[in-house]
Amino acid sequence: MEGSSNIPLELAWASLTSAQLPIWLDLQSGADPSSYVIGGYIRIPGSVDAERFERAVALVITRNEALRLHFHERDPLQRMEFALDSPFERIDLRDAPDPEVSFRRHLEQEFPKPFDLRAHGYLFRITLIQFHAELFYCVLHFHHLIADGMSISLVFNQICDAYNGQSAEPRGRYSYSEFARDDAAYLRSERYRADLDY
């Protein structure tokens, strides 16, 4: 099966980018899938409308192509999906005997859980955890194939913008499809060969 770099990712399978391919190959060779789970959590002091927060997450997903990536079962190919179950979860710790202990236990149990590239679902999870009326935590987990360390703060900032009624459009409007096309063009270019020689 061959990918296409000229057809939009939502219509056809496309090759992985140069940043994704080493990760995919490592996973195929038996690497621990949990080693490619990245993320963190953000403390939110103040009240949060959980339903409004979930709508903000949904809006950010629709406007960020990389968050909708799905990978082929056998080949190093990807495309975008649209109709998937929500990756958003809400947890209420207000009645927990010790919310801090429960929160730490949740992180220890959930964070190492790997994403299954063969499954038909999102490759990230977002959890809103309520401690009490004026304290929440947002926990974000991503597969490293769709995000890097910078992505965590960018996605959270876009969720905050959408929650507050501001634009949730990715800054710069440089889509993942454009990046994938530019990366494919670079790999075919004289510049790439010169960089390899260097």
Side-chain angles (χ1 to χ4, degrees), residues 64-110:
N64 285 268
E65 294 176 338
L67 297 180
R68 303 194 310 273
L69 289 177
H70 174 69
F71 294 83
H72 193 271
E73 289 183 13
R74 297 175 307 278
D75 300 317
L77 300 170
Q78 62 185 324
R79 72 177 176 194
M80 277 178 246
E81 301 289 346
F82 291 94
L84 299 173
D85 293 335
S86 173
F88 180 77
E89 181 183 8
R90 294 158 58 176
I91 297 176
D92 190 341
L93 298 180
R94 285 177 292 180
D95 294 331
D98 189 332
E100 186 67 34
V101 169
S102 297
F103 176 59
R104 295 292 170 190
R105 187 179 302 121
H106 171 79
L107 292 179
E108 291 167 4
Q109 293 173 349
E110 296 298 318

Side-chain angles (χ1 to χ4, degrees), residues 100-158:
E100 186 67 34
V101 169
S102 297
F103 176 59
R104 295 292 170 190
R105 187 179 302 121
H106 171 79
L107 292 179
E108 291 167 4
Q109 293 173 349
E110 296 298 318
F111 193 84
K113 283 186 179 177
F115 294 92
D116 185 354
L117 293 183
R118 297 167 299 176
H120 191 72
Y122 287 110
L123 294 176
F124 71 98
R125 299 184 294 269
I126 296 177
T127 308
L128 184 67
I129 301 177
Q130 183 172 7
F131 271 45
H132 53 72
E134 296 296 324
L135 179 60
F136 291 75
Y137 281 82
C138 179
V139 183
L140 303 101
H141 302 88
F142 296 89
H143 196 297
H144 198 25
L145 277 169
I146 68 163
D148 58 16
M150 182 67 72
S151 305
I152 299 166
S153 59
L154 292 175
V155 168
F156 183 72
N157 287 342
Q158 289 179 25

